[in-house]
Amino acid sequence: MATAARRVAGRLNEPRPALVEAAFDGTPQRVNRQGVALVGEEWRVVDRWWTEEPVSRRYFEVVLETGENAVVFRDEERSGWFSQRGA
């Protein structure tokens, strides 16, 4: 039973494709057609470079015009934008 719960929790945090319009410097301006009111934090994750599936991401924590908080990232390995929520 605990194993099934861990699998479900893991899926909650799976990255999902996101529609992001970014400024020239890569900062999100719109996320899923909603304007970005504030970029709160930005960070990079570079990991697993020694494997066949390296991770290179630029994350942004944003507040949308609706007041909703969101975390989006640009996956530099897959050349796409994704959103991710905590479990």
Side-chain angles (χ1 to χ4, degrees), residues 14-33:
E14 283 291 318
R16 296 178 185 194
L19 178 61
V20 175
E21 295 174 33
F24 70 94
D25 65 354
T27 304
Q29 304 249 300
R30 298 182 67 75
V31 174
N32 295 328
R33 297 190 174 92

Side-chain angles (χ1 to χ4, degrees), residues 20-21 27-43 59-72 83-85:
V20 175
E21 295 174 33
T27 304
Q29 304 249 300
R30 298 182 67 75
V31 174
N32 295 328
R33 297 190 174 92
Q34 295 183 39
V36 172
L38 175 72
V39 176
E41 198 173 343
E42 175 184 344
W43 67 97
Y59 281 84
F60 298 89
E61 182 178 19
V62 299
V63 178
L64 303 177
E65 290 177 341
T66 60
E68 178 185 358
N69 293 321
V71 174
V72 295
S83 63
Q84 192 167 17
R85 298 177 191 238

